[in-house]
Amino acid sequence: MKVPPGDIGHADLQSRTNDSARAVVVVLAHDEERRIAACLSSLAGQEAAAIHVVVNGSTDRTAEIARASRLAEVHVYEEGGKARSWNRFVLDTIDPVPPVLVLVDGDAQITTGSIAALARCLEREAHANAAAGMPRNGRRAGTYRAEMRRDHGLFGDFYALRGNFVERVRASGIRLPDDLIGDDSLIGALAKTDLGHEDQWSDGRIAVCEDARFLCEPTPFSPSGMRGQARRMSNYSVRHFQNRIVSDIMRGPGPAGLPRRLAELYPRYLPTFRPRRHPLWAWFDRQALARMRSSAAALPTFR
């Protein structure tokens, strides 16, 4: 990925004065050996009290490269799943909870000054539970930014949570379903409802931060790149159906009704789900529904 000059900060983590920094950065990474070094390098010059890398279910050298960088504390979870790892670190591990907790995907690069910008957004908008960073590159980046300004959306690649919001999530017992795909959608919903029912929805509880930007590597036009994109499209289809289940829960019992695994609810919902007719999604939706039926069939039965 070609990075615009001056966008990415580089500095030794140990040379920074961390006493005044308010934000702690958590990088969630799965099989990111090609990109984790660039991600951490982009964070090294940012104003942050600490950087943690949470490596989940990886089979490559992500953890080894992250440790060798000496830029972060590395935590390795053998089980995969971004939502599961988010629960384990954000809700169960980090102590104390910092005033600002910044989440970054391991394949993203963060532009200079963006961590401080997220912290400023939360300080300026005292009613906001979260602050959203914005995509800098990509074919549809301009469209995504416009949608974020309009809807106060959240990209899972780069966002911040207010510390007392995280503490309230912990106290509530609410957790992301371990098998959730598209954790940012649910986290955004929890922020906008202030952990309540969907009737309490307020877009203003997510601050859209214009000065906080991230870059992601475009999908290469190659056999491996196309295979990776096909996997992502299948995951997006699963996310589409999962979001329908989550929306039903948020309109009904609210977040307290979220199950440990969404697969527990698949038998109830699968008979009502059909692939979309749009040619872009029909094939991937069929794949997604087959995966969901397989997950439902694998659930333990109790007699």
Side-chain angles (χ1 to χ4, degrees), residues 4 10 37 67 69-70 113 115 125 225 287:
H10 299 270
R67 288 192 182 102
S69 75
R70 302 177 64 187
I115 303 297
E125 301 191 32
Q287 285 187 321

Side-chain angles (χ1 to χ4, degrees), residues 270-286:
L270 280 170
T272 70
F273 288 163
R274 297 290 182 273
R276 286 167 285 185
R277 294 183 179 181
H278 194 290
L280 176 63
W281 292 110
W283 169 250
F284 296 108
D285 282 0
R286 286 194 289 271

Side-chain angles (χ1 to χ4, degrees), residues 13-213:
L13 184 67
Q14 302 304 319
S15 69
R16 293 187 284 116
T17 302
N18 289 332
D19 292 343
S20 62
R22 301 174 65 246
V24 169
V25 179
V26 179
V27 180
L28 295 168
H30 169 77
D31 284 350
E32 293 292 357
E33 65 180 7
R34 286 198 313 109
R35 291 170 286 201
I36 192 64
C39 175
L40 291 175
S41 182
S42 76
L43 292 168
Q46 308 274 354
E47 184 181 354
I51 301 172
H52 298 267
V53 177
V54 177
V55 182
N56 60 94
S58 288
T59 58
D60 65 2
R61 298 175 58 246
T62 301
E64 178 184 342
I65 293 168
R67 288 192 182 102
S69 75
R70 302 177 64 187
L71 296 173
E73 184 175 349
V74 180
H75 312 258
V76 178
Y77 299 152
E78 296 301 324
E79 288 184 295
K82 185 179 177 183
R84 179 187 288 110
S85 298
W86 191 98
N87 285 335
R88 290 182 65 178
F89 193 80
V90 174
L91 301 182
D92 300 337
T93 301
I94 192 167
D95 185 33
V97 176
V100 178
L101 188 63
V102 177
L103 283 298
V104 176
D105 272 359
D107 62 349
Q109 290 177 257
I110 309 305
T111 63
T112 302
S114 292
I115 303 297
L118 287 177
R120 287 196 303 271
C121 277
L122 288 175
E123 184 174 1
R124 183 172 62 248
E125 301 191 32
H127 59 288
N129 290 319
M134 304 186 80
R136 169 72 185 264
N137 67 331
R139 182 171 54 87
R140 299 195 62 204
T143 301
Y144 290 143
R145 289 195 294 268
E147 290 174 351
M148 292 175 73
R149 294 182 188 111
R150 183 191 68 215
D151 302 328
H152 289 243
L154 199 70
F155 261 89
D157 303 74
F158 181 45
Y159 64 93
L161 299 174
R162 192 182 299 279
N164 66 12
F165 173 71
V166 173
E167 289 171 344
R168 288 191 292 120
V169 177
R170 285 181 162 189
S172 73
I174 295 168
R175 300 176 74 87
L176 307 183
D178 282 345
D179 55 353
L180 178 70
I181 296 175
D183 52 291
D184 48 351
S185 296
L186 178 52
I187 292 166
L190 295 174
K192 288 184 178 185
T193 61
D194 203 31
L195 306 181
H197 190 272
E198 195 173 81
D199 290 346
Q200 298 169 256
W201 190 280
S202 173
D203 283 343
R205 292 193 179 110
I206 293 181
V208 178
C209 194
E210 296 282 351
D211 296 330
R213 299 287 181 95

